[in-house]
């Protein structure tokens, strides 16, 4: 259809003449008249040199539309797979074959191996720490850094994303699984104190099974979202909401680790007030040895992090920091045998250790755990927990992967990425892993270390596998406070306080969302925080949709362009006309508010105009931003036309898109509005109204 510039009604190319049997827009047959109760007498008008091809817009049956959509998808698929050979199809299912075909051994191999080793050194202590945060034996963190890394290297599309256990997923899992066993929640809390040496082994085994089940269900959700191309659901998590949630979760995670730095043996809490109460109520357990050692590790990790950021040549210090403090801890504990010493304090009937160690970690490969997948212990709670974890993980992984792809100048296949992450989780669930996703800190190290392909993930997996086979006995007497230090320093990167300041300066709505996500997370827990903040984000979307902006337009002097009179105070209002623009799709959610605003605007402008001896003759609505219109909006227009006609006012529409024009034609509104009152752009609509006003004035003079 002939179109003009959609923005604010600026004039565009016109279509001269009229079709045979058609009505030239802006003109009418000489002597044509209408019902005097509905319209004023029409007078012969000069033809305007543009029109909306109303008669050319054909209605298409619903079945035909569905067939066309299906055919478009088939065409797109055929075009994307044109010329595919067997190797291309193999690469479609296994993306590793795509980058292996063009792999530059001399240029990339050393970088990939170095990056994989760096991330491996980082993920071994982090993985064990995050597993404990999830309430699982520490070997589960190593399993999660082994099997999913290998699977993702084969199936993922991001070249720098490092997958494995992450802090936010771990705390979500720990809190969620405690609710799965709500009838034995106190015993679950006791087990979480030391999952490697649980006081209730049978319950711990059930808990471990439930964690693997959640990984399986989350992997199914992941894969389903990828196959159905439903990654758009993450758009409902705004950046402000994710930032606020991550900041709140980081504070809760950090507080949950303070007990290891202070040497306290306390229960777990989901809220900031609960954590603080437990800490202050149990300060009598304070162990100065744990405190000195733990704080030393924190300062050392911060020093490594600072040096890595300050000096480019020392970038690898960030990755080596966690491994370095683990080595120091293992060395000190084994040299001085602090794990055998006790203090004078007795906690729960047992003497307090001088420095608590993590205990024995089983060596060897993970078990085959497909038999653990069903039946679920609590279908409703585990399904909802899996969906929540999947939702958060998708947002985190895809945002990291997109940022890395943009930085390294390649195109990320989001569908393949979601499918790869889902299959990596399913592979992990087959071998005793809990949910894994892309890690921000480890991905940053992977990228800075020079990773060129997912081979770096494969190397990381091999490093962890070697650790499981040979090195786990070394970690037996590593101090527990080193894990607390690693987690506390790790989650500091999630404290996004600059975003709080930025949003206050730029967008108060997003600032409110950030605060809601942050405050609800720290005071009511991570699950409540994410649910409430998503609801607030959706409410804001609904609010902005239900009350869209409606702009009063004026003509910029010396041009044929119409802009907001608020933004351009020198824009000229046209005598006898009220010009408006609806800046949103027009449907049931906002039909009432748009209708009320337009009626109010008409009444105000009519009263002002009459004060200066003028009167509103035309209401011109620019529909260029209206991408859709439904029955509620059309009912309003139907009634509004009658209301205007009773006062001798006509409705004129400018620049409707084809879908809107088709909807108006289907319901018969085009006939009621009249084709000559539907125009290609604002300038033609105003020109038509001006001609009518001039001819009415000349007719009145005669």
């Amino acid at each position: 259809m002939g179109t003009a510039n959609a923005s604010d009604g600026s004039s565009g190319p016109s279509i001269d003449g009229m079709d045979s049997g058609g009505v030239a827009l802006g003109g009418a047959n000489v002597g044509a008249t209408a019902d005097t109760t509905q319209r004023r007498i029409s007078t012969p008008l000069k033809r305007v040199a543009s029109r909306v091809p109303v008669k050319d817009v054909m209605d298409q049956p619903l079945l035909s539309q569905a067939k066309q959509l299906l055919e478009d998808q088939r065409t797109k698929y055929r075009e994307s797979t044109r010329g595919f050979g067997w190797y291309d199809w193999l690469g479609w299912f296994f993306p590793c074959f795509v980058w292996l075909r063009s792999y530059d051994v001399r240029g990339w191999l050393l970088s990939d191996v170095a990056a994989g080793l760096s991330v491996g050194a980082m993920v071994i202590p982090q993985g064990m720490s995050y597993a404990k945060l999830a309430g699982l034996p520490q070997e589960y963190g190593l399993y999660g850094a082994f099997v999913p890394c290998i699977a993702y290297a084969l199936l993922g599309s991001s070249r720098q994303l490092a997958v494995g256990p992450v802090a936010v997923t771990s705390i979500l899992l720990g809190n969620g699984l405690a609710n799965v066993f709500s009838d034995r929640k106190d015993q679950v809390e006791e087990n979480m104190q030391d999952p490697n040496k649980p006081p209730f082994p049978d319950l711990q085994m059930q808990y471990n099974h439930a964690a693997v089940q959640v990984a399986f269900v989350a992997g199914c959700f992941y894969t389903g979202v990828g196959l159905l191309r439903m990654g758009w659901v993450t758009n409902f998590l705004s950046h402000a909401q994710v930032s606020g949630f991550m900041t709140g979760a980081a504070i809760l995670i950090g507080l949950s680790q303070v007990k290891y730095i202070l040497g306290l043996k306390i229960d777990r809490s989901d809220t900031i007030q609960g954590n603080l109460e437990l800490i202050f109520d149990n300060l009598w357990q304070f162990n100065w040895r744990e405190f000195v050692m733990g704080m030393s590790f924190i300062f050392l990790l911060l020093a490594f992090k600072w040096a890595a950021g300050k000096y480019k040549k020392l970038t690898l210090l960030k990755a080596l920091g966690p491994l370095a403090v683990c080595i120091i801890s293992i060395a000190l504990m084994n040299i001085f045998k602090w794990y055998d010493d006790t203090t004078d304090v007795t906690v729960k009937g047992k003497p307090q250790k001088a420095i608590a160690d993590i205990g024995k970690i089983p060596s060897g490969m993970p078990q085959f755990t497909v038999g653990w997948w069903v039946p679920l212990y609590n279908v409703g709670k585990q399904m909802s927990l899996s969906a929540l974890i999947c939702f958060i993980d998708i947002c985190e992984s895809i945002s990291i992967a997109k940022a890395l792809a943009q930085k390294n100048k390649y195109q990320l296949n989001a569908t393949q990425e979601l499918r790869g992450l889902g299959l990596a989780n399913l592979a992990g669930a087959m071998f005793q892993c809990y949910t894994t996703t892309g890690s921000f800190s480890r991905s940053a190290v992977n990228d800075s270390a020079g990773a060129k392909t997912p081979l770096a993930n494969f190397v990381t997996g091999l490093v962890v596998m070697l650790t499981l086979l040979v090195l786990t006995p070394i970690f037996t007497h590593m101090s527990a406070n080193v894990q607390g230090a690693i987690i506390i320093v790790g989650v500091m990167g999630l404290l996004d306080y600059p975003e709080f300041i930025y949003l206050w300066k730029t967008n108060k709505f997003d600032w409110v969302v950030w605060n809601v996500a942050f405050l609800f997370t720290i005071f009511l827990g991570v699950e409540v925080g994410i649910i409430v903040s998503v609801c607030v984000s959706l409410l804001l979307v609904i609010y902005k949709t239900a009350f869209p902006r409606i702009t009063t337009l004026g003509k910029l002097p010396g041009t044929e362009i119409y802009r907001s009179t608020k933004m351009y105070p020198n824009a000229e209002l046209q005598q006898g006309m009220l010009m408006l623009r609806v800046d949103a799709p027009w449907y049931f959610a906002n039909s009432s508010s748009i209708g009320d605003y337009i009626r109010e605007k008409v009444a105000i402008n009519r009263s002002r105009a009459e004060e200066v001896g003028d009167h509103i003759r035309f209401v011109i609505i620019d529909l260029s931003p209206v991408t859709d219109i439904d029955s509620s909006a059309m009912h309003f227009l139907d009634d509004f036309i009658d209301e205007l006609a009773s006062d001798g006012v006509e409705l004129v529409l400018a620049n409707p898109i084809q879908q809107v024009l088709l909807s108006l034609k289907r319901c018969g509104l085009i006939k009621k509005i009249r084709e000559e009152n539907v125009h290609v752009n604002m300038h033609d609509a105003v020109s038509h109204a001006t001609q009518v006003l001039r001819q009415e004035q000349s007719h009145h003079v005669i």
Side-chain angles (χ1 to χ4, degrees):
M1 113 184 183
T3 58
N5 291 345
S7 59
D8 296 321
S10 58
S11 63
S14 61
I15 304 172
D16 294 331
M18 72 174 86
D19 292 343
S20 58
V23 180
L25 196 61
N29 294 333
V30 177
T33 60
D35 189 337
T36 55
T37 62
Q38 298 291 325
R39 301 179 49 81
R40 295 187 177 188
I41 298 175
S42 298
T43 53
L45 303 177
K46 181 180 178 181
R47 186 180 70 190
V48 178
S50 67
R51 71 176 188 85
V52 174
V54 176
K55 295 184 182 298
D56 298 337
V57 179
M58 302 301 294
D59 198 357
Q60 190 178 15
L62 185 61
L63 184 59
S64 298
Q65 293 182 41
K67 288 181 178 178
Q68 184 62 46
L69 181 62
L70 184 60
E71 184 58 34
D72 290 343
Q73 291 296 321
R74 286 176 178 172
T75 302
K76 184 178 179 180
Y77 173 75
R78 284 195 295 266
E79 289 296 325
S80 64
T81 57
R82 188 186 299 276
F84 266 32
W86 68 268
Y87 194 90
D88 299 294
W89 283 110
L90 192 62
W92 193 86
F93 289 102
F94 297 95
C96 61
F97 288 100
V98 176
W99 54 263
L100 279 174
R101 170 184 276 180
S102 57
Y103 194 83
D104 182 359
V105 177
R106 291 185 178 181
W108 295 352
L109 183 60
L110 187 60
S111 296
D112 281 340
V113 171
L117 291 173
S118 300
V119 175
M122 189 176 186
V123 77
I124 290 169
Q126 275 192 350
M128 291 191 294
S129 303
Y130 292 154
K132 194 170 184 180
L133 187 64
L136 294 165
Q138 294 173 88
E139 63 269 19
Y140 278 69
L142 296 177
Y143 299 156
F146 163 44
V147 178
C149 275
I150 300 293
Y152 182 80
L154 300 174
L155 301 166
S157 63
S158 175
R159 301 173 190 173
Q160 287 80 30
L161 188 71
V163 301
V166 296
V168 173
T169 295
S170 298
I171 195 171
L172 277 171
L173 186 67
N175 292 342
L177 288 183
N179 294 325
V180 169
F181 300 97
S182 54
D183 56 330
R184 301 178 67 182
K185 192 169 184 179
D186 292 340
Q187 295 177 359
V188 171
E189 296 288 350
E190 287 189 51
N191 279 350
M192 283 185 173
Q193 296 297 320
D194 191 350
N196 275 50
K197 294 178 284 187
F200 303 98
D202 61 325
L203 178 59
Q204 185 64 52
M205 182 56 68
Q206 294 177 31
Y207 186 96
N208 299 345
H209 284 210
V212 171
Q213 290 173 349
V214 168
F216 163 65
V217 177
C220 292
F221 284 152
Y222 245 130
T223 309
V225 168
L227 292 174
L228 297 176
R229 300 176 182 269
M230 291 178 62
W232 54 267
V233 297
T234 60
N235 295 337
F236 290 101
L237 283 180
S238 68
H239 178 75
Q241 185 248 317
V242 172
S243 172
F245 167 74
M246 289 292 190
T247 302
I251 291 175
L252 290 180
I253 293 168
L255 272 177
S256 71
Q257 301 304 299
V258 169
K259 61 185 179 182
Y260 299 111
I261 305 300
L262 300 180
L264 311 181
K265 197 174 183 66
I266 57 178
D267 293 332
R268 184 191 186 105
S269 178
D270 300 340
T271 63
I272 187 172
Q273 65 272 22
N275 276 303
L276 291 175
E277 182 180 1
L278 287 169
I279 290 170
F280 284 106
D281 286 349
N282 291 275
L283 279 178
W284 59 271
Q285 301 178 27
F286 176 75
N287 186 334
W288 66 267
R289 299 170 186 83
E290 295 268 22
F291 179 74
V292 170
M293 192 174 187
M295 290 303 298
S296 298
F297 288 145
I298 288 175
F299 286 128
L300 188 59
L301 287 168
L302 290 174
F304 273 61
K305 194 174 181 180
W306 174 83
K310 183 75 173 177
Y311 304 103
K312 193 173 182 180
K313 291 183 179 179
L314 301 178
T315 301
L316 288 180
L317 282 180
K318 184 177 181 181
L320 296 176
L323 186 62
V325 294
C326 286
I327 292 172
I328 294 171
S329 171
I330 293 168
L332 291 174
M333 292 288 284
N334 283 283
I335 291 171
F336 297 102
K337 309 294 182 182
W338 286 332
Y339 52 84
D340 285 334
D341 295 338
T342 59
T343 68
D344 296 332
V345 177
T346 301
V347 181
K348 296 182 179 179
K350 296 180 181 180
Q352 184 187 56
K353 284 189 174 184
I355 302 289
D357 59 0
I358 65 172
K360 185 179 179 181
I361 299 174
S363 60
M365 294 290 97
Q367 300 178 40
F368 186 69
T369 52
V370 171
W372 294 10
W373 288 359
V374 289
L376 300 181
Y377 288 96
N378 187 315
V379 176
K381 289 182 178 179
Q382 285 181 275
M383 292 289 284
S384 59
L385 176 61
S386 302
L388 180 61
I389 288 175
C390 178
F391 201 48
I392 295 296
D393 283 357
I394 286 175
C395 290
E396 189 173 1
S397 288
I398 294 299
S399 60
I400 296 169
K402 283 183 177 179
L404 290 171
Q406 185 176 9
K407 179 184 175 184
N408 290 279
K409 303 186 186 320
Y410 63 89
Q411 189 68 35
L412 181 76
N413 186 333
T415 300
Q416 180 63 57
E417 184 66 13
L418 289 171
R419 193 164 65 236
L421 286 167
L423 293 173
N425 271 281
L426 287 174
M430 294 173 67
F431 295 98
Q432 215 171 343
C433 302
Y434 74 100
T435 50
T436 55
T437 189
S439 164
F440 179 81
S441 59
R442 295 196 297 274
S443 296
V445 168
N446 201 33
D447 181 54
S448 61
K452 303 297 182 184
T453 68
L455 180 64
N457 267 292
F458 196 87
V459 173
T460 298
L462 293 180
V463 170
V464 178
M465 182 184 74
L466 180 65
T467 303
L468 284 166
L469 291 174
V470 180
L471 302 178
T472 50
I474 296 174
F475 294 95
T476 301
H477 296 304
M478 186 175 73
S479 62
N481 54 41
V482 73
Q483 294 184 319
I486 290 170
I487 292 177
I488 289 172
V489 174
V491 298
M492 283 182 179
L494 299 177
L495 297 174
D496 200 6
Y497 59 88
E499 187 71 9
F500 173 85
I501 300 170
Y502 172 78
L503 293 175
W504 172 255
K505 294 178 180 178
T506 58
N507 191 306
K508 296 299 188 293
F509 272 123
D510 283 345
W511 181 80
V512 169
V513 171
W514 193 98
N515 278 281
V516 167
F518 172 72
L519 294 174
F520 272 83
T521 298
I522 63 172
F523 286 112
L524 295 178
V526 287
E527 295 94 343
V528 176
I530 189 67
I531 292 170
V532 171
S533 55
V534 167
C535 290
V536 170
S537 295
L538 292 176
L539 284 175
L540 284 176
V541 170
I542 294 170
Y543 172 78
K544 291 179 180 180
T545 304
F547 299 94
R549 181 178 57 189
I550 302 174
T551 307
T552 301
L553 301 177
K555 182 180 180 183
L556 297 183
T559 72
E560 296 179 351
I561 298 173
Y562 294 80
R563 290 290 188 269
S564 167
T565 55
K566 187 175 182 180
M567 187 173 181
Y568 298 90
N570 63 331
E572 300 169 349
L573 299 176
Q574 303 298 301
Q575 187 177 14
M577 305 177 207
L578 172 62
M579 298 177 292
L580 301 172
R581 185 183 66 221
V582 179
D583 293 329
W586 199 341
Y587 69 114
F588 68 92
N590 59 23
S591 180
S592 178
S593 62
I594 292 175
D596 292 343
Y597 183 90
I598 292 177
R599 286 190 176 101
E600 181 183 358
K601 205 72 177 173
V602 169
I604 292 172
N605 278 267
R606 181 183 294 152
S607 61
R608 287 178 181 173
E610 289 174 353
E611 288 177 4
V612 296
D614 191 13
H615 64 277
I616 298 296
R617 175 69 176 84
F618 290 96
V619 174
I620 304 176
I621 300 179
D622 181 6
L623 296 178
S624 55
V626 180
T627 57
D628 190 27
I629 188 169
D630 75 350
S631 59
S632 298
M634 289 185 283
H635 280 302
F636 161 74
L637 287 174
D638 195 4
D639 296 337
F640 188 55
I641 293 168
D642 293 336
E643 293 174 21
L644 293 178
S646 64
D647 293 327
V649 181
E650 292 187 35
L651 177 66
V652 178
L653 303 179
N655 205 7
I657 67 168
Q658 183 176 3
Q659 184 60 41
V660 172
L661 191 64
L662 182 59
S663 297
L664 295 174
K665 183 179 179 182
R666 284 172 180 164
C667 69
L669 277 177
I670 290 293
K671 292 182 180 178
K672 194 167 187 177
I673 297 171
R674 296 195 311 168
E675 290 187 22
E676 59 264 31
N677 282 343
V678 184
H679 293 262
V680 169
N681 53 54
M682 280 296 293
H683 178 66
D684 287 347
V686 172
S687 298
H688 164 69
T690 301
Q691 290 178 34
V692 173
L693 288 172
R694 287 176 180 171
Q695 292 181 20
E696 286 181 349
Q697 288 174 0
S698 62
H699 180 75
H700 180 71
V701 171
I702 294 174

